[in-house]
Amino acid sequence: MSLPPPIELSSANGSGAAYAHGAHLTAWTPAGSDPVIWLSALARFKPGVAIRGGVPIVFPWFGAGRSGKLNPAHGFARTRVWDLASSAPEGDDVVAEFVLEGSGTDEPEFPYAFSARYEVRLGAALQLSLTVTNNDSQPFSYEEALHAYLRVGDVRQVVVEGLGGCSYLDQADPSGVRVRTQSGRVTFSGETDRIYGAAGQVRVVDPVLGRTLVIDKQNSASTVVWNPWIDKAASLEDFGDDEWPSMICIEGGNLREASVRLQPTETHTMRYSVRVDPSDSGE
Ligand code: BG6
């Protein structure tokens, strides 16, 4: 069985597509630019399976969660079917809104009533916002990330700016997860899997595509940088062996000790945006 087709989103400012499955944006191309969002040629489009690429929504835990024991990886939001509440043009933009309700009884690992609203705005920038409300009678904590896969010319030539001086959890260290501090810009020469304590702007400078991607966030204390490199890519069924140079994940989130805690009736909104700065060609 495959998924129902995605919702096509198009306006004067660009075009994209999103599935109700996971409220998963799988494409965004701003007008006059090349595609920004990366999608694997081997991505699977099946109920219950996460789509490789696009922007998976990680909620309410990241990886195996803070306990290290939770399933499925990165939480259930990316494989649940969200309701499409609306999808309409707004001026030269197009905006879609998705909703996921949790009853408190359907997910044993997260037994709380909640609602999540996800707004996707395709404009001059791609603007994403995830709002979670506690509808339960008790407080709860959650992790969240907008796991954006960004298309690059060749990750070996990409430089990521904006993370210098930030501490990070190095999840790709062969001797175990280590805390380190970023010195200067991030470059790539092997598997990279890091959770930075970083709330500020990040710039992905791409000399091969001759552009810079500018990522801004609000209410997001964590930034994940991920590229699987050769061996990890080869181990993933839905990731082509030769695809790893063409992508990088820059994820905005609130992870680990930066988890969000909500009292009953409280709400939290995290925002993530990405835009192309063509004037910075990385030369
Ligand atoms: C990243 C994690 O966010 O997602 C990595 O930091 C993980 O550890 C990657 O490998 C992909 O996860 P998944 O579950 O989509 O294969």
Side-chain angles (χ1 to χ4, degrees):
M1 199 164 79
S2 57
L3 299 178
I7 299 127
E8 300 295 338
L9 302 164
S10 104
S11 73
N13 271 332
S15 62
Y19 285 82
H21 171 83
H24 199 129
L25 183 84
T26 49
W28 176 55
T29 304
S33 189
D34 290 331
V36 169
I37 294 295
W38 181 92
L39 182 67
S40 171
L42 300 185
R44 294 172 293 186
F45 299 93
K46 288 187 194 156
V49 175
I51 297 170
R52 176 69 62 196
V55 186
I57 298 178
V58 172
F59 172 86
W61 58 82
F62 179 84
R66 300 183 75 185
S67 66
K69 295 182 182 153
L70 299 181
N71 263 310
H74 284 339
F76 50 78
R78 66 177 177 166
T79 50
R80 288 269 295 272
V81 179
W82 293 53
D83 289 325
L84 177 65
S86 61
S87 166
E90 275 188 30
D92 286 344
D93 299 353
V94 58
V95 181
E97 192 170 20
F98 296 89
V99 176
L100 181 69
E101 303 278 353
S103 66
T105 55
D106 42 8
E107 294 289 348
E109 305 282 18
F110 194 74
Y112 307 105
F114 72 89
S115 62
R117 298 188 80 79
Y118 183 52
E119 188 187 277
V120 176
R121 174 181 287 269
L122 275 58
L126 170 66
Q127 293 174 272
L128 306 172
S129 71
L130 179 63
T131 299
V132 176
T133 302
N134 182 346
N135 298 330
D136 211 273
S137 55
Q138 48 184 326
F140 61 68
S141 297
Y142 62 92
E143 293 177 290
E144 61 181 348
L146 297 175
H147 192 311
Y149 285 75
L150 304 175
R151 186 173 156 268
V152 294
D154 184 342
V155 74
R156 290 163 291 198
Q157 296 189 48
V158 158
V159 167
V160 174
E161 299 175 343
L163 296 168
C166 297
S167 65
Y168 65 90
L169 283 180
D170 188 347
Q171 304 198 100
D173 190 310
S175 59
V177 176
R178 288 270 176 88
V179 180
R180 300 180 189 281
T181 300
Q182 179 65 40
S183 156
R185 306 188 302 172
V186 183
T187 53
F188 299 86
S189 55
E191 183 186 351
T192 305
D193 188 356
R194 302 175 180 175
I195 304 175
Y196 286 87
Q201 185 181 87
V202 172
R203 297 173 66 87
V204 177
V205 183
D206 183 343
V208 173
L209 294 185
R211 69 182 184 186
T212 291
L213 302 179
V214 183
I215 292 116
D216 286 294
K217 309 184 302 157
Q218 277 176 25
N219 290 338
S220 160
S222 316
T223 299
V224 180
V225 178
W226 182 61
N227 180 283
W229 217 255
I230 301 165
D231 293 348
K232 177 87 191 250
S235 74
L236 298 170
E237 249 179 71
D238 56 352
F239 204 119
D241 290 357
D242 302 328
E243 288 185 316
W244 60 269
S246 62
M247 56 70 68
I248 184 176
C249 288
I250 304 284
E251 310 169 34
N254 287 297
L255 309 175
R256 307 306 189 229
E257 68 283 357
S259 300
V260 179
R261 186 163 179 82
L262 290 182
Q263 299 296 325
T265 75
E266 278 185 345
T267 281
H268 178 271
T269 299
M270 170 176 74
R271 294 193 167 84
Y272 177 103
S273 74
V274 54
R275 65 184 163 85
V276 179
D277 180 353
S279 66
D280 185 352
S281 65
E283 292 302 324

